[in-house]
Amino acid sequence: MTTDGIAEPETSDSLKAFGEVVKAFRRRAGLTQEEFAAQVRYSRETIASVEQGRRFPSPTFVDRAESLLDAFGVVRAAAKHLSRQPGLASWFQRWARLEATALCLYTYENRLVPGLLQIEPYAKTLFEQQLPPLGDGEVEEKLAARMGRHKLLAERPNTAYSFIVEEHVLRRRTGGTEVHRAQIEHILRMSEQRNIEIQVMEQGRGHHAGLAGPMRLLETPENHWYAYCEGQESRLLVTDSKVVGILQMRYARMRSQALTLEDSQSLLRQMRGAT
């Protein structure tokens, strides 16, 4: 088993190149950083960080910059080739790389909606309420990272995804009533995709195999299995085949203990209607 320390991600050549593209089109438009910042509704510090390749641009920033600078699609195209994953600390980056090519990915959560299923307002609420508090730029960066990971679900239709989520997590109205309804609706839409299975672990079940905590499992193209677990201030990438095997056994049992796919969808529809 291996653990990694917490550290902020570093810049990359693709981020620097994107920053140069934005800077070139900003100058072409005859705008200072202050003027550009005011028009795209971001701070001058954020603009400087993006242009220097130190901050990953959010999807909103990319869209506003493309439109304002009349960039012929160049800004948006450059954003598609960004290789650095912002807001992902070094201890998570190895797992993120494994996720990108996984044959299957299994997730059990008893704390919050899994990141791959979170809508933007839900994720933004989590980051804005985080302790110690985050600055606006940090919130933007982490939110962009969280939303950027969603491309895994959209671009990898041959990867099998399984999610088991505790019922109480889905009933918690994080972000308020409207955000909760939208989040449940999104999960329902995701559950209709052929390669995505979403099961709810009922509140009424007195005991199940996942009570030791949340977990993620994945299989690589080389048929190696890894696991990843998180606590309050601890993260663990599990490579020991014996330990991974134990977690696989627990996850398999949970799939039989949770509601069926059909019953899970039915419960989600009830939640949506009751919101």
Side-chain angles (χ1 to χ4, degrees):
M1 288 183 285
T2 60
T3 58
D4 294 306
I6 299 175
E8 288 303 313
E10 299 178 352
T11 189
S12 68
D13 290 341
S14 62
L15 269 176
K16 292 178 182 177
F18 177 84
E20 289 296 330
V21 167
V22 172
K23 184 192 300 184
F25 276 98
R26 172 180 63 77
R27 289 176 171 173
R28 171 180 172 271
L31 298 172
T32 65
Q33 285 187 340
E34 290 80 1
E35 292 167 338
F36 181 49
Q39 293 191 47
V40 293
R41 303 194 296 282
Y42 281 88
S43 68
R44 191 203 64 78
E45 290 75 16
T46 295
I47 302 304
S49 293
V50 169
E51 291 188 353
Q52 292 165 18
R54 294 188 291 107
R55 176 168 294 172
F56 198 99
S58 69
T60 301
F61 175 88
V62 173
D63 288 341
R64 290 177 184 172
E66 175 66 44
S67 176
L68 175 66
L69 299 176
D70 191 22
F72 313 106
V74 176
V75 170
R76 194 170 284 120
K80 293 180 180 179
H81 298 284
L82 293 175
S83 61
R84 172 177 167 257
Q85 292 177 289
L88 299 182
S90 61
W91 45 261
F92 188 76
Q93 296 224 2
R94 186 180 177 193
W95 178 261
R97 289 193 294 271
L98 292 169
E99 273 187 333
T101 59
L103 298 178
C104 58
L105 179 65
Y106 301 159
T107 302
Y108 163 64
E109 261 297 351
N110 61 1
R111 306 163 303 168
L112 40 76
V113 172
L116 288 175
L117 296 178
Q118 291 175 11
I119 60 172
E120 186 167 338
Y122 182 101
K124 186 175 183 180
T125 297
L126 296 179
F127 292 131
E128 289 180 337
Q129 299 301 320
Q130 187 169 316
L131 292 174
L134 300 174
D136 290 344
E138 292 175 294
V139 170
E140 292 171 11
E141 185 173 83
K142 290 180 180 294
L143 186 60
R146 182 68 50 85
M147 296 300 102
R149 289 180 60 230
H150 288 186
K151 68 181 181 181
L152 292 174
L153 299 180
E155 297 177 359
R156 296 190 60 80
N158 295 318
T159 296
Y161 296 95
S162 168
F163 298 91
I164 300 175
V165 186
E166 292 283 353
E167 181 180 346
H168 70 84
V169 169
L170 299 168
R171 290 192 179 279
R172 183 176 295 126
R173 300 192 178 191
T174 301
T177 299
E178 293 304 315
V179 172
H180 179 253
R181 181 185 293 113
Q183 180 63 76
I184 296 299
E185 182 66 42
H186 178 71
I187 292 173
L188 271 169
R189 286 198 302 272
M190 293 296 98
S191 73
E192 294 169 355
Q193 296 189 35
R194 288 192 297 274
N195 65 323
I196 298 176
E197 296 183 350
I198 299 175
Q199 292 178 264
V200 179
M201 188 68 76
E202 283 186 292
Q203 288 181 162
R205 177 169 284 280
H207 183 276
H208 65 75
L211 295 182
M215 72 173 84
R216 305 179 202 180
L217 294 158
L218 64 74
E219 182 183 11
T220 70
E222 297 76 30
N223 303 119
H224 296 150
W225 281 86
Y226 295 90
Y228 178 78
C229 304
E230 285 186 355
Q232 281 280 341
E233 289 298 325
S234 61
R235 294 93 181 173
L236 187 66
L237 177 65
V238 184
T239 60
D240 186 307
S241 60
K242 182 177 179 180
V243 179
V244 172
I246 291 172
L247 297 179
Q248 286 177 299
M249 178 172 60
R250 292 176 182 173
Y251 196 90
R253 178 65 60 86
M254 279 192 288
R255 293 180 88 164
S256 68
Q257 294 172 323
L259 292 175
T260 65
L261 301 177
E262 294 77 11
D263 289 345
S264 294
Q265 287 183 329
S266 178
L267 180 57
L268 287 166
R269 293 189 184 99
Q270 292 175 26
M271 291 182 191
R272 178 185 59 187
T275 302

